[in-house]
Amino acid sequence: PWRCSPRRGVASYPSARQIRATFLRFFEERHGHRRLPSAPVRPRGDPHLLFVNAGMNQFKPIFLGTVHPRSELAQHRRVVNSQKCVRAGGKHNDLEDVGRDTYHHTFFEMLGNWSFGDYFKEEACSMAWELLTEVYEIPRDRLYVTYFGGDSSLGLSADEECRDIWLHLGVPASHVLPFPLKDNFWEMGDTGPCGPCSEIHYDHVGCGRNAAALVNQGSPDVVEIWNLVFMQYSREVEGNLLPLPQHHVDTGMGLERLVTVLQNKRSNYDTDLFTPILDAIHKGCRGPGYQGLVGDADVGHVNMAYRVVADHVRTLCVCITDGIYPGLSGAELVLRRILRRAVRFCSEVLHAPPGLLASLVPTVVEVLGDAYPELTKNADQIMDIINENEAAFLSSLDRGRRIIERTVQQMEPSTNFPAEVAWYLYGNLGFPLDLIDLMLEEKGISLDSAGFNTLALEDAKRKAGGPQARQLEDTNTCLDVHSLAQLRSNNVPATDDSPKYAYTLGQHGQYEFSPCQAIVLMLYRDQSLQKEIGAGQRCGVILDRTNFYAEQGGQASDQGYMICLGQQDILFPVESVHLCGGYVVHEVTAVETLRAGDQVQLFVDEAQRLACMTNHTATHLLNFALCHVLGDNTQQRGSHVTAERLRFDFDTKGPVTVEQLQQVEQVVQDVIKRNEVVHMAEVPLTLARRVQGLRAVDEGYPDPVRIVSLGVPVESVLTRDSEAAMQTSVELCCGTHLLQTGAVEDLAIISERQLVKGISRVIAVTGGQAKQAREVGQCLAMEVDSVSLRMKQRSTSIPEMQNLSKEVGQLTKVVASTAMPQWQRKELQTILKALQRTANTAIRKLEIQQAEEKAQSLLAKHCNRPVIIDTVPADSLSILMKVVNQLCDKSPGTSVLLLSPQASGEVLCACQVSKNCLPMFSAADWAVAVCTQMEGKAGGSPIVAKGSGNAKGMQGALTTALEFAQSKL
């Protein structure tokens, strides 16, 4: 039942769909693995990763021992899946190689089987050999296996156990090859789980030859198809290796390479994973077809373009479906570069019309939709996002070309293109670096690569100091894999943190938090468990029970203090609280010696806790209100709750309107006024999955899970076919909440913006802060009304109108930066924008009117002269310039230079030269000569110019102006 179609001696080969299904069925049905769906390519809870880039990413909590012992994830022993992976940006970056050869990809599928403390090397090797040789029927003589040959510097001997297993399975000794650390020792990172691996390589040529010498030599004829990793060590911070408490197996086989082998092809792009997409590209661009050419044989890079577009559109489809949209930072920025690279090859190499990239989406869905059904649901959204981003990039391309043209014109001969301009094109306009090189190459110019690399390095250092760098685990709060294993082997129980939910409403509506007494079980410092910590040392404290909330589920941790019983006057401040593998770790700086066995009394900062409870319940209300107003398709993308405010990210088709923001706030306020009861209960995970409208249940949730329901008892929403959950807010949540919604008092959304196309972020405040935001909003609205009223009176004084314009500008800044309801901010910004336009128009009209009067007077004074040089009172350079323009319009053959002394001692200068006098007479040169006489500066074009100088040199300047004009005419 697992066999593929015969490979050899027949014309037909198994499809990629069959090959993938056979792999999954083999491990599920024959070897008792649990089949899991692919995780999204957006990593969950891993700030160090841009994308999921390997099948093992979702299982890291198991390998590190940090998985919650009651979660579904912790119950896995042997699993199998086909994981969507993206390698672009970060450590594993194949982006620039894609298209140049026939095997690099940004998106690929990783087939994998895992054992978590179950089977190990013998079973893993045996299963792999059985699948490849008996099910897929790959000839044994074409397969070569490698094993770890040892490393004396680390004190590691060769993995002879693995070698002997392969020999026992019947692999000839000449096909079992040892390799050093760099080839056959796998590591998760600089620290953490690692171990020897065994790779299986395939010889495409065969014909009875021995290709052992080509294994791991970069030969396209002999390629690795499967890697079996045996995790048995952990690399410590000091670099040494320690044996892992539990052994794991992690295998990965790239589907694209396997399909190439089983369909008897030499290129991944010749398999049915790509040929339908390549055919669709050919149909869309109507140019030459795909021939599989590479290097110099690929004239005009047409074949490279086919490969780039086919690969990149797959990546775009998968990423956008999983909630990563083209944007300006992190994974979103990488995806923007992928999209723009694809667009460029479409337009500049394939000469395809706009829209080709989006037109390929249905074909990608047809190829991958069976394995990843989420693609089918999101096809229209994917096409819309691709089309919008393509249009934006094509516009940027035009702008970039103009910048390059202008820069090249201004460059000195035989110089390199400035790195600063290239960096602007790359960073701000999203130009791929190879595109900049190509455009410069066409003009015979080279980029200042050293300067560009320096800017890139500075940018990388700046980003390395950002939030992600600060998220590195603290050595006192994040338990390492050995410490977790030691705690479990010593039968140290997981922390009972149920007291965090022990609070009630008192008679007068105040919250009463129950006291909590606990015993210190263990102390943790510098990645080691300790029984005693001295005064002044920072450490993690593990207790048997706690009423402190550990940071999780988007809610900030509690703060507070603990005291040792009998030492009431000595407080141990608790700075943060973290959950790790079921143990709650309290970060404390010991003011006195602290020992395991000490009895402590715990005191949570009640004001901070209550503020977090208020904001967390308000977050649930906000989520419900957004779905109610914007539609059920509005999906939460992330949230963060602190005592000060709440942040909520969600899917949206466009910016939220003023009316929608008002409606959302109104829905929240209605529930607050009803003072609904907040129902909370722990229920089995299987029951929770029945609740209609509940967003996908992550397998990392502990079982049983906690359900929070506003206004409707949990029993009611659990009733089969109940639609009660669709009418209110029902969520899985481990956070702490109010017991009734009335305590929220008010909610004001003080910010709403699009993070990237398709994802919006709102920030809201509650209670007194919301009230304050509304009061501030009302005050600013009154100020805007006052300015608006004065604007309507239409003053005829330019200074008065300029002051009004300045007031509008200052108000605009205040409105943009002040915490106030976002709907009101948007309304006021619209009004202020209109007022600014009105003020500018009024000022311009008054200046033109004033200029006309002055010009008329000067014309009468200098009747029919070819050159007019004079002084005239003018409030600004703008007015002076308009006087000059008016004079030249009314007397077309006249050249004019006017000076205007100011009260400050400055002299303004403006001039215009008649076109009849060009090129002999230049306005710019005229202004420079005059302003230099006044110890000032000037600039402009051959026709018009302006400048300023000092009043002391004004008389000499007038003489210079006349002499300069006479010398040119």
Side-chain angles (χ1 to χ4, degrees), residues 250-281:
D250 162 16
T251 87
M253 175 158 58
L255 175 67
E256 291 76 10
R257 283 196 183 180
L258 178 63
V259 173
T260 302
V261 169
L262 295 178
Q263 292 184 357
N264 201 24
K265 305 292 184 185
R266 294 300 300 273
S267 160
N268 296 355
Y269 292 93
D270 291 338
T271 67
D272 64 349
L273 285 167
F274 288 93
T275 50
I277 304 170
L278 295 169
D279 290 343
I281 296 170

Short mmCIF file of all heavy atoms in Angstrom, two decimals, residues 250-281:
data_model
loop_
_atom_site.label_atom_id
_atom_site.label_comp_id
_atom_site.label_asym_id
_atom_site.label_seq_id
_atom_site.Cartn_x
_atom_site.Cartn_y
_atom_site.Cartn_z
N ASP A 250 16.16 13.39 14.56
CA ASP A 250 15.57 14.45 13.72
C ASP A 250 16.06 14.19 12.30
O ASP A 250 17.25 14.29 12.03
CB ASP A 250 16.05 15.81 14.24
CG ASP A 250 15.89 16.94 13.23
OD1 ASP A 250 15.14 16.76 12.25
OD2 ASP A 250 16.52 18.00 13.41
N THR A 251 15.16 13.82 11.40
CA THR A 251 15.59 13.57 10.02
C THR A 251 14.95 14.58 9.08
O THR A 251 13.85 15.06 9.34
CB THR A 251 15.23 12.14 9.55
OG1 THR A 251 13.90 12.13 9.02
CG2 THR A 251 15.35 11.13 10.67
N GLY A 252 15.65 14.88 8.00
CA GLY A 252 15.12 15.82 7.02
C GLY A 252 15.51 15.42 5.61
O GLY A 252 16.69 15.19 5.32
N MET A 253 14.50 15.33 4.74
CA MET A 253 14.75 15.00 3.34
C MET A 253 13.98 16.01 2.47
O MET A 253 12.76 16.11 2.55
CB MET A 253 14.28 13.56 3.03
CG MET A 253 14.39 13.20 1.56
SD MET A 253 14.46 11.41 1.27
CE MET A 253 12.96 10.82 2.01
N GLY A 254 14.72 16.77 1.66
CA GLY A 254 14.09 17.77 0.80
C GLY A 254 13.23 17.09 -0.26
O GLY A 254 13.72 16.27 -1.03
N LEU A 255 11.94 17.43 -0.29
CA LEU A 255 11.03 16.80 -1.25
C LEU A 255 11.48 17.05 -2.68
O LEU A 255 11.43 16.16 -3.53
CB LEU A 255 9.60 17.32 -1.05
CG LEU A 255 8.58 16.81 -2.06
CD1 LEU A 255 8.34 15.32 -1.89
CD2 LEU A 255 7.26 17.58 -1.95
N GLU A 256 11.93 18.28 -2.97
CA GLU A 256 12.30 18.64 -4.34
C GLU A 256 13.41 17.72 -4.86
O GLU A 256 13.34 17.25 -6.01
CB GLU A 256 12.75 20.10 -4.40
CG GLU A 256 11.64 21.13 -4.18
CD GLU A 256 11.22 21.27 -2.72
OE1 GLU A 256 11.91 20.73 -1.83
OE2 GLU A 256 10.20 21.93 -2.48
N ARG A 257 14.42 17.46 -4.02
CA ARG A 257 15.52 16.58 -4.46
C ARG A 257 15.05 15.14 -4.62
O ARG A 257 15.46 14.44 -5.54
CB ARG A 257 16.67 16.63 -3.45
CG ARG A 257 17.50 17.90 -3.59
CD ARG A 257 18.81 17.76 -2.86
NE ARG A 257 19.57 19.00 -2.93
CZ ARG A 257 20.75 19.16 -2.38
NH1 ARG A 257 21.31 18.17 -1.71
NH2 ARG A 257 21.39 20.31 -2.48
N LEU A 258 14.20 14.69 -3.70
CA LEU A 258 13.69 13.31 -3.78
C LEU A 258 12.87 13.13 -5.05
O LEU A 258 13.01 12.11 -5.75
CB LEU A 258 12.84 13.00 -2.54
CG LEU A 258 12.21 11.61 -2.51
CD1 LEU A 258 13.28 10.51 -2.50
CD2 LEU A 258 11.28 11.46 -1.31
N VAL A 259 12.03 14.09 -5.37
CA VAL A 259 11.20 14.00 -6.58
C VAL A 259 12.09 13.98 -7.82
O VAL A 259 11.83 13.24 -8.78
CB VAL A 259 10.18 15.17 -6.64
CG1 VAL A 259 9.44 15.18 -7.96
CG2 VAL A 259 9.19 15.06 -5.48
N THR A 260 13.17 14.76 -7.80
CA THR A 260 14.11 14.77 -8.93
C THR A 260 14.68 13.37 -9.16
O THR A 260 14.76 12.89 -10.30
CB THR A 260 15.25 15.77 -8.65
OG1 THR A 260 14.70 17.06 -8.44
CG2 THR A 260 16.22 15.84 -9.82
N VAL A 261 15.02 12.69 -8.07
CA VAL A 261 15.56 11.32 -8.16
C VAL A 261 14.51 10.37 -8.70
O VAL A 261 14.74 9.60 -9.64
CB VAL A 261 16.08 10.86 -6.78
CG1 VAL A 261 16.38 9.36 -6.79
CG2 VAL A 261 17.32 11.66 -6.38
N LEU A 262 13.30 10.41 -8.09
CA LEU A 262 12.27 9.43 -8.42
C LEU A 262 11.62 9.68 -9.78
O LEU A 262 11.01 8.78 -10.35
CB LEU A 262 11.20 9.39 -7.32
CG LEU A 262 11.70 8.89 -5.95
CD1 LEU A 262 10.58 8.93 -4.92
CD2 LEU A 262 12.26 7.48 -6.06
N GLN A 263 11.72 10.90 -10.29
CA GLN A 263 11.19 11.19 -11.63
C GLN A 263 12.30 11.15 -12.68
O GLN A 263 12.09 11.54 -13.83
CB GLN A 263 10.47 12.54 -11.63
CG GLN A 263 9.17 12.51 -10.81
CD GLN A 263 8.39 13.80 -10.86
OE1 GLN A 263 8.80 14.80 -11.48
NE2 GLN A 263 7.23 13.81 -10.22
N ASN A 264 13.49 10.67 -12.24
CA ASN A 264 14.62 10.48 -13.15
C ASN A 264 15.00 11.77 -13.89
O ASN A 264 15.23 11.77 -15.10
CB ASN A 264 14.30 9.36 -14.16
CG ASN A 264 15.57 8.79 -14.77
OD1 ASN A 264 16.65 8.87 -14.17
ND2 ASN A 264 15.46 8.21 -15.95
N LYS A 265 15.08 12.87 -13.14
CA LYS A 265 15.46 14.18 -13.69
C LYS A 265 16.80 14.59 -13.10
O LYS A 265 17.25 14.04 -12.11
CB LYS A 265 14.41 15.24 -13.37
CG LYS A 265 12.99 14.89 -13.81
CD LYS A 265 12.85 14.87 -15.32
CE LYS A 265 11.40 14.63 -15.73
NZ LYS A 265 11.28 14.48 -17.19
N ARG A 266 17.43 15.60 -13.71
CA ARG A 266 18.68 16.13 -13.18
C ARG A 266 18.50 17.51 -12.57
O ARG A 266 19.41 18.06 -11.98
CB ARG A 266 19.74 16.19 -14.29
CG ARG A 266 20.16 14.82 -14.81
CD ARG A 266 20.76 13.95 -13.70
NE ARG A 266 21.92 14.55 -13.11
CZ ARG A 266 23.16 14.40 -13.58
NH1 ARG A 266 23.38 13.64 -14.65
NH2 ARG A 266 24.17 14.98 -12.99
N SER A 267 17.33 18.09 -12.76
CA SER A 267 17.06 19.43 -12.23
C SER A 267 15.73 19.41 -11.48
O SER A 267 14.75 18.83 -11.95
CB SER A 267 16.99 20.44 -13.38
OG SER A 267 16.30 21.61 -12.97
N ASN A 268 15.69 20.07 -10.33
CA ASN A 268 14.43 20.19 -9.57
C ASN A 268 13.35 20.86 -10.42
O ASN A 268 12.16 20.58 -10.28
CB ASN A 268 14.65 21.02 -8.30
CG ASN A 268 15.60 20.37 -7.32
OD1 ASN A 268 16.05 19.25 -7.53
ND2 ASN A 268 15.93 21.07 -6.25
N TYR A 269 13.79 21.79 -11.28
CA TYR A 269 12.83 22.57 -12.07
C TYR A 269 12.20 21.75 -13.21
O TYR A 269 11.27 22.20 -13.86
CB TYR A 269 13.51 23.83 -12.63
CG TYR A 269 13.86 24.82 -11.55
CD1 TYR A 269 15.12 24.82 -10.95
CD2 TYR A 269 12.92 25.76 -11.12
CE1 TYR A 269 15.44 25.73 -9.95
CE2 TYR A 269 13.25 26.67 -10.12
CZ TYR A 269 14.49 26.65 -9.53
OH TYR A 269 14.80 27.55 -8.54
N ASP A 270 12.74 20.53 -13.45
CA ASP A 270 12.16 19.67 -14.48
C ASP A 270 11.12 18.71 -13.92
O ASP A 270 10.58 17.88 -14.63
CB ASP A 270 13.27 18.86 -15.17
CG ASP A 270 14.18 19.74 -16.01
OD1 ASP A 270 13.73 20.83 -16.40
OD2 ASP A 270 15.33 19.35 -16.25
N THR A 271 10.85 18.81 -12.59
CA THR A 271 9.86 17.93 -11.96
C THR A 271 8.48 18.58 -12.00
O THR A 271 8.35 19.78 -12.28
CB THR A 271 10.23 17.65 -10.50
OG1 THR A 271 10.11 18.88 -9.75
CG2 THR A 271 11.66 17.12 -10.37
N ASP A 272 7.46 17.79 -11.65
CA ASP A 272 6.10 18.32 -11.71
C ASP A 272 5.78 19.27 -10.55
O ASP A 272 4.65 19.76 -10.45
CB ASP A 272 5.06 17.20 -11.79
CG ASP A 272 5.04 16.32 -10.56
OD1 ASP A 272 5.96 16.43 -9.74
OD2 ASP A 272 4.11 15.50 -10.43
N LEU A 273 6.76 19.54 -9.69
CA LEU A 273 6.58 20.60 -8.70
C LEU A 273 6.74 21.98 -9.34
O LEU A 273 6.23 22.98 -8.83
CB LEU A 273 7.61 20.46 -7.56
CG LEU A 273 7.36 19.34 -6.55
CD1 LEU A 273 8.60 19.13 -5.69
CD2 LEU A 273 6.15 19.64 -5.68
N PHE A 274 7.46 22.00 -10.47
CA PHE A 274 7.76 23.28 -11.12
C PHE A 274 7.24 23.40 -12.55
O PHE A 274 6.95 24.51 -13.00
CB PHE A 274 9.28 23.53 -11.12
CG PHE A 274 9.83 23.86 -9.77
CD1 PHE A 274 10.34 22.87 -8.94
CD2 PHE A 274 9.83 25.16 -9.30
CE1 PHE A 274 10.82 23.17 -7.69
CE2 PHE A 274 10.33 25.47 -8.05
CZ PHE A 274 10.82 24.47 -7.24
N THR A 275 7.17 22.29 -13.30
CA THR A 275 6.82 22.41 -14.73
C THR A 275 5.48 23.10 -14.97
O THR A 275 5.39 23.91 -15.91
CB THR A 275 6.86 21.02 -15.42
OG1 THR A 275 6.10 20.09 -14.64
CG2 THR A 275 8.29 20.53 -15.58
N PRO A 276 4.42 22.87 -14.16
CA PRO A 276 3.18 23.60 -14.42
C PRO A 276 3.35 25.11 -14.25
O PRO A 276 2.75 25.90 -14.99
CB PRO A 276 2.21 23.05 -13.36
CG PRO A 276 2.77 21.73 -12.96
CD PRO A 276 4.26 21.88 -13.06
N ILE A 277 4.21 25.52 -13.29
CA ILE A 277 4.43 26.96 -13.07
C ILE A 277 5.25 27.54 -14.22
O ILE A 277 4.95 28.64 -14.73
CB ILE A 277 5.15 27.19 -11.71
CG1 ILE A 277 4.36 26.56 -10.57
CG2 ILE A 277 5.34 28.69 -11.45
CD1 ILE A 277 5.09 26.52 -9.24
N LEU A 278 6.27 26.80 -14.66
CA LEU A 278 7.09 27.27 -15.80
C LEU A 278 6.24 27.40 -17.07
O LEU A 278 6.40 28.35 -17.85
CB LEU A 278 8.26 26.31 -16.03
CG LEU A 278 9.29 26.23 -14.90
CD1 LEU A 278 10.24 25.06 -15.13
CD2 LEU A 278 10.08 27.53 -14.77
N ASP A 279 5.32 26.45 -17.26
CA ASP A 279 4.41 26.52 -18.42
C ASP A 279 3.52 27.75 -18.34
O ASP A 279 3.27 28.42 -19.35
CB ASP A 279 3.54 25.26 -18.50
CG ASP A 279 4.35 24.02 -18.88
OD1 ASP A 279 5.48 24.18 -19.39
OD2 ASP A 279 3.86 22.89 -18.65
N ALA A 280 3.04 28.05 -17.12
CA ALA A 280 2.18 29.22 -16.93
C ALA A 280 2.95 30.52 -17.18
O ALA A 280 2.41 31.48 -17.73
CB ALA A 280 1.59 29.21 -15.52
N ILE A 281 4.23 30.55 -16.80
CA ILE A 281 5.07 31.74 -17.07
C ILE A 281 5.21 31.93 -18.57
O ILE A 281 5.06 33.05 -19.10
CB ILE A 281 6.46 31.59 -16.41
CG1 ILE A 281 6.33 31.53 -14.88
CG2 ILE A 281 7.38 32.74 -16.83
CD1 ILE A 281 7.62 31.15 -14.17
#
